[in-house]
């Protein structure tokens, strides 16, 4: 199942910078592992924002939920999820 996910990260300005750096490093490691596994297919930064658009390819809503909840920055995110499916007018036979 493909999902388009917008993540807006809202870290409190009062948070200890060392804690923020640790969370960001952990988040990066998890996201790169998920990308290598093919579950986090694409990630794009939104210019001028601490936000991204991502495409996830997972087995179920539950798997996406578990991935999102496992992200170290999740407690500081506003997340919008949109399920995706192939459009009947698409000329593609796959998800490329």
């Amino acid at each position: 199942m493909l999902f388009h996910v917008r993540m807006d990260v809202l870290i409190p300005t009062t948070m200890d910078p060392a804690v923020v750096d640790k969370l960001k490093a952990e988040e990066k490691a998890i996201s790169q592992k998920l990308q290598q596994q093919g579950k986090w297919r694409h990630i794009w930064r939104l210019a001028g924002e601490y936000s991204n658009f991502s495409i996830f390819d997972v087995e179920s809503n539950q798997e996406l939920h578990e991935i999102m909840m496992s992200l170290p920055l999740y407690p500081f995110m506003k997340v919008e999820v949109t399920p995706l499916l192939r459009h009947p007018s698409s000329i593609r036979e796959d998800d490329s």
Side-chain angles (χ1 to χ4, degrees), residues 36-55:
Q36 290 165 349
Q37 294 172 349
K39 294 179 183 290
W40 197 325
R41 295 266 301 267
H42 300 281
I43 182 169
W44 293 279
R45 175 165 291 189
L46 304 183
E49 300 180 43
Y50 194 179
S51 303
N52 73 72
F53 283 146
S54 292
I55 302 294

Side-chain angles (χ1 to χ4, degrees), residues 8-16 20 23-24 50 73 76-77:
D8 299 305
V9 183
L10 308 162
I11 297 173
T13 57
T14 56
M15 186 176 275
D16 180 344
V20 173
L23 289 172
K24 287 180 181 181
Y50 194 179
L73 290 174
F76 309 103
M77 287 183 190

Side-chain angles (χ1 to χ4, degrees), residues 3-73:
F3 294 91
H4 172 272
V5 180
R6 179 184 175 132
M7 292 176 246
D8 299 305
V9 183
L10 308 162
I11 297 173
T13 57
T14 56
M15 186 176 275
D16 180 344
V19 173
V20 173
D21 290 344
K22 182 176 183 283
L23 289 172
K24 287 180 181 181
E26 292 170 356
E27 182 96 6
K28 183 176 182 177
I30 291 170
S31 77
Q32 289 180 343
K33 180 179 178 185
L34 289 165
Q35 289 174 66
Q36 290 165 349
Q37 294 172 349
K39 294 179 183 290
W40 197 325
R41 295 266 301 267
H42 300 281
I43 182 169
W44 293 279
R45 175 165 291 189
L46 304 183
E49 300 180 43
Y50 194 179
S51 303
N52 73 72
F53 283 146
S54 292
I55 302 294
F56 286 85
D57 188 356
V58 294
E59 292 297 319
S60 65
N61 295 338
Q62 183 65 34
E63 183 179 14
L64 179 64
H65 178 75
E66 290 169 5
I67 288 171
M68 296 305 301
M69 296 293 290
S70 76
L71 298 175
L73 290 174

